[in-house]
Amino acid sequence: MRTPCCDKENINKGAWSKQEDKKLIDYIQVHGEGCWGSIPKAAGLHRCGKSCRLRWLNYLRPDIKRGIFAQDEEDLIIKLHALLGNRWALIAGRLPGRTDNEVKNYWNSHIRRKLIKMGIDPNNHKLHKGFPSPHHVFAAGTSSSSCDKERNINNLTLIKSKSCEEEYINSSVSFTKKETSIINNSSSSLNLELTIALPSPNDCESPKIRDIDIDLNC
DNA sequence: AAACCGTACAACCGCGATCCA
DNA sequence: GTGGATCGCGGTTGTACGGTT
């Protein structure tokens, strides 16, 4: 039996008031983040530490970027989700000013629905069988170099060195060793079948490549 | 005008990971 | 090495709000 994170008695729940927000902001501005367990008492809040942490990280932090997601942010979320799955914290880490909660909510309320409408399974990014799609689907893997395995798709280049120890690097997305390890552990062979949207009449130059076949086997 | 429905998003909950005495 | 405390994450829920019937 797990002990509760805080005393349920005398604890506020639900939406935060302006006064509560101010107390938390004032306290953190003076004392900094951390020790969430002791912050409520020290700041004079009738909240549990977890609630304070969440409120600060997802809403009150000064560097949070609020508002609608740009198209390039959405594209990046889709790409990273295809690679990392529901690892929202990792995905959010690639989007400056966005929180994991925000990314997760945006995925569930916008992107997920959008992919389903396009006939793409949002869980595995594969086109549904038999879906009457107006999209081209094609394999876009490039040839491997003699030393490294490499796939380059629309700014998303995955490189794996022989030793399997170097970082993945590309022009817009790079992965730390830890992230690389997560990718490797989640699947030794990712087959990410995405789609390319037909170019619109006024956008015939740069179709968005959406089909990826990534083989991470070393 | 009221009831209903769908969407967006803030917040909560449970659990695994990590820290530390 | 062990167990409790704390942290961080992802899934889920609750609710406000706008649109539709």
Side-chain angles (χ1 to χ4, degrees):
Chain A
M1 179 65 179
R2 197 181 176 78
T3 55
C5 71
C6 53
D7 182 9
K8 300 270 184 193
E9 303 270 328
N10 203 21
I11 287 294
N12 286 351
K13 289 172 80 172
W16 279 62
S17 68
K18 288 225 162 55
Q19 291 92 333
E20 287 178 309
D21 282 347
K22 187 173 185 315
K23 279 183 182 177
L24 185 56
I25 291 168
D26 288 347
Y27 181 86
I28 291 177
Q29 278 176 349
V30 173
H31 299 93
E33 293 179 43
C35 284
W36 295 108
S38 61
I39 279 183
K41 197 177 175 186
L45 287 161
H46 297 294
R47 294 274 180 176
C48 76
K50 253 177 134 171
S51 181
C52 292
R53 176 184 163 273
L54 208 65
R55 182 65 178 169
W56 174 255
L57 292 178
N58 288 335
Y59 202 84
L60 299 176
R61 238 172 45 195
D63 57 334
I64 286 179
K65 181 167 140 191
R66 307 200 69 79
I68 58 170
F69 282 71
Q71 186 59 50
D72 59 338
E73 286 182 302
E74 188 176 314
D75 289 345
L76 187 56
I77 292 170
I78 292 169
K79 286 172 185 172
L80 291 171
H81 186 271
L83 284 168
L84 302 168
N86 294 356
R87 291 171 217 271
W88 306 116
L90 277 180
I91 294 172
R94 297 283 158 192
L95 294 156
R98 300 295 188 184
T99 68
D100 56 347
N101 209 33
E102 203 178 4
V103 171
K104 180 173 60 183
N105 281 332
Y106 190 70
W107 174 270
N108 286 326
S109 60
H110 291 85
I111 301 176
R112 202 167 178 279
R113 221 185 308 276
K114 198 169 164 181
L115 292 179
I116 289 169
K117 266 188 183 173
M118 292 167 70
I120 297 167
D121 186 334
N123 297 317
N124 58 18
H125 296 252
K126 286 188 174 182
L127 194 69
H128 285 305
K129 277 184 182 172
F131 186 83
S133 169
H135 303 92
H136 294 314
V137 179
F138 67 96
T142 63
S143 62
S144 299
S145 68
S146 58
C147 297
D148 299 334
K149 291 198 169 185
E150 175 177 333
R151 298 288 185 271
N152 186 331
I153 311 295
N154 196 29
N155 295 329
L156 182 62
T157 306
L158 298 183
I159 303 168
K160 181 152 225 176
S161 71
K162 274 184 174 174
S163 64
C164 294
E165 287 173 354
E166 292 174 17
E167 288 185 344
Y168 288 98
I169 299 168
N170 77 51
S171 57
S172 64
V173 183
S174 65
F175 295 94
T176 63
K177 283 185 183 178
K178 185 184 174 188
E179 289 165 342
T180 303
S181 159
I182 288 168
I183 293 169
N184 286 347
N185 288 338
S186 62
S187 170
S188 60
S189 178
L190 294 174
N191 182 16
L192 307 173
E193 190 181 302
L194 304 174
T195 64
I196 177 171
L198 282 174
S200 64
N202 48 4
D203 182 26
C204 54
E205 283 186 72
S206 55
K208 296 274 177 124
I209 298 173
R210 301 264 193 232
D211 186 89
I212 307 175
D213 182 11
I214 302 168
D215 180 3
L216 290 175
N217 285 323
C218 195

